Amino acid sequence: MVNKKGCPEWDAPYFTGVTTMKIYCFPWCSGQPKPENVIRFESRAEAESAGYRPCKNCCSALPHGSWEDHKLQLRLLVPREFSFAENLRYLADAQNECLFHIKGGRVCKALSIEDETPVVEVSGDDGSGIVIRFLGETAPSRKWVRAAVARYVRDWFDLDTDLLPFYNLAGTDELLGRVVSRFNGLRNIGIPDLFEAICWGIIGQQINLTYAFTLKRRLVESFGRRVECDGELYWIFPAPGDIAALTVEDLSGLRMTVKKCEYLIDTARLIAQGKLTKELLLAERDYKKAEKMLVKIRGIGPWTANYVLMRCLRIPSAFPIDDVGLHNAIKHLSGSESKPTKEEILHLSAKWINWESYATFYLWRVLY
């Protein structure tokens, strides 16, 4: 359920920002900042786009009432338009994935949250929630870290998006109607970390998906961090600072083009220096402005920019219109002998306004 402000009904009606600490809190937070140091935000998104971080005391990163904290296990409430099984099938189709394991209807993954590395097992329960269980001895002792884990999983599965308007739209669209009924409950599985999302976009430029996964694995296993838990090995994606310190020669063993190596290092340096962040992109408050900000970066063209805006920033209007997979999916579904022209895609997508991102993701699912 969503109220008129677009926030879950159980969420706060507003948030308070503490200017001296650059944090935002629930109105009922027990902290007592001086009145002259407090400002008001109408939403969590507004606070974060202004560069404010969630309060660790009241765990304002999550909608109030959207999660249950049982210390060794967390439970997330999910929207009605969500199917854990459908999302698990999508994840299971990822070839040669190195950042998570799937077994027994569960997905396991190591997360890096400041100085902790919890390893989580994510599963569905009776259909109304997601259960997050901490494996081994990795359960965080601090509540705010557990809240950060819950937020990561909510973001990963895009649980804050109300899909009902998209499904209503798709029901009247000949192309989307078929894929929505086939993959009902699927979410735009995201890449919450900006650096990882950009790297994946750069790595995937002009190569097939199978080889892209191979290059990603080489990068992660060469420069990422490994974690062992309950006899299993998990990998953490390389940090921007680690890649920023490298040279093209250091990356030569990946067998990636010299240009892509340069692009990865340049992007890592921008993020490590704080010149490129999710907050800066969200602060643009306009899809086209955020896209322009990204395409100014060497190695990021319109396709990569829209991919990042779609999978990481959750911009609903992001639309990688030149994507080959999108063209092939439309060709397949329409029964055409040739791929659609850009003009034909623009005509088809005229009714997808503000849902281009989800339309693209569902069409991709036909092929991948």
Side-chain angles (χ1 to χ4, degrees):
M1 296 290 289
V2 175
N3 66 17
K4 292 180 181 179
K5 290 186 178 181
C7 302
E9 288 184 347
W10 58 72
D11 208 358
Y14 66 92
F15 295 86
T16 57
V18 183
T19 58
T20 52
M21 302 175 67
K22 295 291 281 188
I23 62 171
Y24 69 90
C25 310
F26 284 121
W28 52 81
C29 182
S30 59
Q32 296 182 333
K34 295 180 180 179
E36 61 267 27
N37 296 329
V38 174
I39 59 175
R40 175 171 169 147
F41 294 109
E42 296 303 313
S43 68
R44 183 177 286 102
E46 182 184 0
E48 294 184 0
S49 66
Y52 281 66
R53 296 169 287 104
C55 172
K56 293 180 178 179
N57 179 48
C58 65
C59 298
S60 55
L62 289 161
H64 180 68
S66 69
W67 69 303
E68 298 170 5
D69 178 18
H70 303 291
K71 295 189 177 179
L72 298 180
Q73 181 174 291
L74 313 176
R75 184 173 181 272
L76 309 183
L77 275 68
V78 300
R80 182 179 301 174
E81 296 77 24
F82 175 81
S83 165
F84 183 78
E86 194 61 57
N87 287 278
L88 190 69
R89 277 191 286 272
Y90 170 82
L91 290 171
D93 284 343
Q95 304 172 24
N96 200 21
E97 176 58 59
C98 57
L99 293 176
F100 57 79
H101 305 310
I102 293 180
K103 53 184 178 180
R106 296 168 171 82
V107 56
C108 301
K109 181 177 177 65
L111 302 176
S112 179
I113 299 174
E114 292 197 10
D115 59 342
E116 297 202 41
T117 309
V119 180
V120 300
E121 175 194 82
V122 183
S123 61
D125 55 11
D126 59 0
S128 63
I130 285 178
V131 174
I132 304 169
R133 186 168 70 91
F134 295 103
L135 301 182
E137 302 297 322
T138 68
S141 60
R142 295 170 292 181
K143 183 175 181 178
W144 74 264
V145 180
R146 298 194 296 274
V149 170
R151 171 158 177 169
Y152 182 95
V153 175
R154 283 188 64 86
D155 190 5
W156 191 16
F157 288 96
D158 197 27
L159 296 181
D160 289 327
T161 295
D162 179 10
L163 274 191
L164 187 58
F166 173 64
Y167 282 168
N168 289 337
L169 177 154
T172 64
D173 187 280
E174 184 178 354
L175 202 62
L176 296 180
R178 283 178 282 169
V179 293
V180 164
S181 60
R182 181 176 169 186
F183 304 115
N184 194 269
L186 176 66
R187 293 273 157 166
N188 178 3
I189 301 294
I191 307 174
D193 180 74
L194 179 63
F195 181 56
E196 181 185 338
I198 294 178
C199 286
W200 186 225
I202 290 173
I203 288 171
Q205 292 171 0
Q206 299 180 327
I207 59 174
N208 63 54
L209 193 59
T210 300
Y211 190 51
F213 272 110
T214 298
L215 291 180
K216 175 183 171 182
R217 178 176 285 275
R218 290 174 186 167
L219 176 68
V220 170
E221 294 183 353
S222 297
F223 303 102
R225 182 161 57 91
R226 56 187 289 169
V227 179
E228 291 189 24
C229 180
D230 290 346
E232 292 278 359
L233 181 63
Y234 297 88
W235 288 96
I236 300 290
F237 198 82
D242 295 334
I243 301 300
L246 301 177
T247 65
V248 171
E249 289 71 26
D250 294 326
L251 296 175
S252 60
L254 305 181
R255 298 185 181 178
M256 197 181 302
T257 66
V258 171
K259 288 295 183 184
K260 284 187 180 181
C261 293
E262 292 174 351
Y263 300 158
L264 294 181
I265 293 170
D266 288 350
T267 301
R269 288 173 179 167
L270 287 174
I271 294 178
Q273 294 166 4
K275 296 179 180 178
L276 177 64
T277 66
K278 289 176 77 169
E279 291 75 21
L280 287 171
L281 290 165
L282 289 170
E284 292 294 337
R285 297 179 180 274
D286 179 85
Y287 153 57
K288 284 297 181 183
K289 288 181 179 178
E291 180 187 22
K292 287 179 181 178
M293 183 175 175
L294 284 171
V295 297
K296 288 180 181 178
I297 299 169
R298 184 167 174 257
I300 299 181
W303 180 88
T304 304
N306 278 273
Y307 183 86
V308 171
L309 295 175
M310 173 182 169
R311 302 294 300 279
C312 182
L313 277 296
R314 305 299 193 179
I315 305 296
S317 301
F319 193 21
I321 194 169
D322 296 318
D323 182 77
V324 173
L326 174 66
H327 299 177
N328 286 332
I330 293 173
K331 175 187 174 184
H332 172 75
L333 289 170
S334 64
S336 174
E337 294 183 358
S338 58
K339 294 180 183 179
T341 64
K342 189 170 184 176
E343 290 70 26
E344 288 171 333
I345 296 175
L346 288 171
H347 176 74
L348 284 170
S349 63
K351 294 189 293 184
W352 306 348
I353 300 300
N354 292 325
W355 286 107
E356 292 91 338
S357 177
Y358 255 93
T360 300
F361 190 77
Y362 266 75
L363 290 170
W364 278 344
R365 187 67 182 109
V366 175
L367 303 177
Y368 311 121

